Amino acid sequence: MKERLLVIVGPTAVGKTEMSIQLAKRFNGEVVSGDSMQIYRGLNIGTAKITADEMENIPHHMIDIIDPLESFSVTQYQREARTIITEINERGKLPILVGGTGLYVHAITHDYQFTNIESDEAFREEMEIFAEQYGNDALHKKLQYIDLKSYKSIHPNNRRRVIRALEVIKRTGKPFSNFQTKREKSIYDAVFIGLTMDREVLYDRINTRIDKMIAKGLFNEARHLYDNNLKDSQAAQAIGYKELFLYFDGELSKEEAILLLKRNSRRYAKRQYTWFKNKMDITWFDMTRGKNKKKLEIMKYVAGKLNCLEKH
């Protein structure tokens, strides 16, 4: 018998966190973060990490589990998150996977396999040097003609994964995408819901959220990473930090860095929605207007789905 799982996805700033708390209280749930950056301790403001007060005593998992200097692969994430989901089910509670990192969510919910091909440290170092000299976009471009599927699915700023893809291709002579097989159906008895919103309304929410982040001390948080030589770490690649590093380097003014951060965040939201829409079978709820009414609609939908699972 498959384990139960409720999955909430959607673009940044659409209201996933608030919705997850409401659902967790209603259905006796615990939240599992599906965000690739909230795993890092100390990266609170820039990752829009939920606060203790906002949790409202709902247990949260896969948050603050490693230090920024440490790396953490999607394979590790898959293994640990699945273990936690099993433990939540065994306690008779409902695991609620919440996040906007498509690859991480998909790796948990579906039979997503990762290659065990050994690493080539010399090649990795060569690619790191190339990226430092010519930029992430130039490195990413290397994938375009040898593995178009990986080129489209891996973001240029995910340097670590781009290098891994190139490394696997070099060692095997086969596209990296060939080693990542996905089953059509989830490995869980899962209920998938997505939150969406009118683009202009969402973009206004993103801009407002960033203004609030800055007021809370985002520049100080980013400066701490910068001053501790963490700007090239996996943790610091998140939108919200790398834009401010350009200001610290003197390449942009403070105002230019903020505008770039807002633009990149809006673009990321668009990519998130496109990814989930194309990759997963999700029931979408538009949160633009009538939010309270929409919440009741979501509650009713989830209750109906969970009742169906209990009858099987």
Side-chain angles (χ1 to χ4, degrees), residues 46-305:
T47 63
K49 193 178 294 176
I50 189 171
T51 66
D53 287 342
E54 290 169 341
M55 289 181 186
E56 297 189 35
N57 295 318
I58 300 296
H60 280 65
H61 307 273
M62 299 303 287
I63 294 175
D64 291 337
I65 60 175
I66 60 172
D67 292 323
L69 266 178
E70 300 178 72
S71 62
F72 198 75
S73 71
V74 66
T75 310
Q76 291 171 281
Y77 190 93
Q78 181 190 61
R79 181 173 59 250
E80 293 198 20
R82 285 180 174 176
T83 298
I84 289 168
I85 288 168
T86 296
E87 291 170 351
I88 295 170
N89 270 293
E90 287 175 348
R91 290 197 291 272
K93 303 184 76 175
L94 176 67
I96 304 174
L97 178 62
V98 184
T101 307
L103 177 63
Y104 279 58
V105 172
H106 202 270
I108 293 168
T109 59
H110 289 69
D111 190 18
Y112 207 113
Q113 303 296 326
F114 300 93
T115 175
N116 292 318
I117 294 162
E118 291 182 4
S119 60
D120 183 335
E121 295 303 326
F123 178 78
R124 287 185 179 185
E125 185 176 350
E126 179 186 339
M127 292 299 99
E128 287 283 359
I129 293 171
F130 179 90
E132 286 298 322
Q133 288 182 330
Y134 302 105
N136 288 344
D137 286 334
L139 178 71
H140 184 244
K141 193 85 172 176
K142 287 177 175 286
L143 281 175
Q144 186 173 8
Y145 302 108
I146 55 178
D147 188 356
L148 186 59
K149 189 178 288 186
S150 291
Y151 173 78
K152 290 180 176 179
S153 66
I154 303 173
H155 190 271
N157 288 336
N158 192 346
R159 185 192 295 184
R160 188 167 175 267
R161 190 151 182 81
V162 171
I163 291 175
R164 178 55 175 162
L166 292 168
E167 177 185 46
V168 169
I169 294 166
K170 177 178 180 289
R171 293 187 70 90
T172 67
K174 299 176 182 178
F176 181 60
S177 53
N178 283 11
F179 296 91
Q180 300 167 56
T181 57
K182 302 173 279 289
R183 270 199 335 216
E184 289 285 329
K185 294 183 178 179
S186 173
I187 64 171
Y188 296 100
D189 266 337
V191 179
F192 292 89
I193 65 170
L195 306 184
T196 185
M197 190 172 281
D198 176 80
R199 184 173 295 181
E200 292 307 314
V201 175
L202 179 63
Y203 286 178
D204 284 342
R205 284 172 62 94
I206 290 170
N207 292 338
T208 299
R209 171 188 270 193
I210 291 169
D211 289 336
K212 289 179 179 178
M213 286 177 171
I214 292 168
K216 287 180 180 177
L218 177 60
F219 273 82
N220 291 336
E221 190 170 272
R223 188 81 208 195
H224 177 76
L225 291 173
Y226 185 88
D227 289 344
N228 285 277
N229 298 315
L230 292 171
K231 73 171 190 173
D232 294 322
S233 67
Q234 181 181 342
Q237 298 311 305
I239 295 172
Y241 300 107
K242 56 192 180 66
E243 293 84 2
L244 304 193
F245 296 155
L246 295 174
Y247 163 62
F248 301 146
D249 285 334
E251 295 182 31
L252 296 177
S253 69
K254 187 172 184 178
E255 292 73 21
E256 288 170 335
I258 292 170
L259 288 174
L260 180 62
L261 170 53
K262 289 180 177 180
R263 189 198 72 181
N264 286 350
S265 297
R266 293 192 301 267
R267 288 181 175 178
Y268 178 57
K270 184 179 178 181
R271 290 197 305 272
Q272 284 176 298
Y273 178 66
T274 301
W275 197 100
F276 284 118
K277 191 174 181 182
N278 292 338
K279 297 278 188 179
M280 302 176 74
D281 185 14
I282 296 165
T283 299
W284 291 92
F285 295 88
D286 191 325
M287 307 299 288
T288 307
R289 285 170 288 275
K291 189 166 70 171
N292 290 334
K293 183 178 179 182
K294 196 64 66 171
K295 285 180 182 178
L296 293 174
E297 184 182 332
I298 292 171
M299 293 284 183
K300 185 177 179 180
Y301 174 81
V302 172
K305 286 290 186 179

